Amino acid sequence: MDTTTETETGAGRAGRADTTAGIRVGFVGSFGSAPQVVDMAVTAEDAGWEGFFSWDGMSIMAVDTFDPWSILAAAAVRTERIALGAMVFALPRRKPWEVVRQALTVDHLSGGRLVLPVGVGVLDDGGFSAVPDQPQALRDRAQQLDDALDFLDRAWAGEPFDFSGRRLSTAQMQFLPRPVDREGVGRRVPVWPVGVWDAERPPTRSLDRTLRHDGIVLQLRGERGFDVPTPDDVASLVAWLTARRAELDVADGPYDVVVQGVLPTDRAAAADQLAALRAAGATWWVESRWNPETATPTSLLDAIQAGPPRP
């Protein structure tokens, strides 16, 4: 399995830094005013981070939140090299035809630097729990996610199409322009679905979804759901995905293995952790700080300015 990240190619190649042991590093602008978060993206690019991510939540926690697409559009015109996305887009509560138009806009504003981490969402999100018509059962959200992803795949082609999925259907639609052309990927926006991993009982449906796209945002199953994946977790996942790709006869190509969490404050220990994850097969680390009491705008900016850990 080729785990070369697609954002190394095309417009993203110019921004590649010599990161720890080859793993690319991103940062989530989790808290702050809208101008502060956009400034974080600019600072992240200047400090050597390779990705900057907003987040997609509705009425989660009593904190200020902003539309991720607006943040990413502003960041796109103020940066030149850094990859842009959100951790993660909850596609089941979004209309995929609107997502296509939003994604195309940010993709073209950024010159092809957009990536789409996507998932089923969580019921803590008021966009699910507070809205009666939204899918809430995990199976329903998963079906809606699959429909949305299929819709996006059809839309990137730029041709007129009708759509009929398990939960969504439309009459003929067409979306122009097509996404920015990426070397090795083509004219489509790379998609990273969340994939759940359990080495003892691999959830095939969740993992197969990622193999149909461009990468996986790794999440551990069950009681370990909030744990940071270890290098052993990553290595077992990559081995399973490689075998599964061959079993399904899925064409090989660029594929990202994305791990998120909080690195140790000791920079040598952080660099060692990144090196071990990369050796196991991870291609991205996304620094994700979700405690609003400690992840203040000032502390986030300080961490961004310090730059990613180096050997």
Side-chain angles (χ1 to χ4, degrees), residues 224-291:
R224 297 189 64 204
F226 292 103
D227 292 352
V228 177
T230 67
D232 286 345
D233 293 323
V234 174
S236 62
L237 167 72
V238 170
W240 189 93
L241 289 173
T242 301
R244 182 66 171 169
R245 182 183 287 273
E247 179 183 345
L248 297 177
D249 196 24
V250 176
D252 201 8
Y255 186 89
D256 278 306
V257 177
V258 184
V259 181
Q260 59 176 322
V262 180
L263 289 170
T265 55
D266 180 86
R267 292 180 69 80
D272 287 346
Q273 181 174 332
L274 292 180
L277 288 168
R278 177 52 180 158
T283 64
W284 273 92
W285 171 270
V286 178
E287 185 75 4
S288 305
R289 305 183 180 196
W290 299 113
N291 184 343

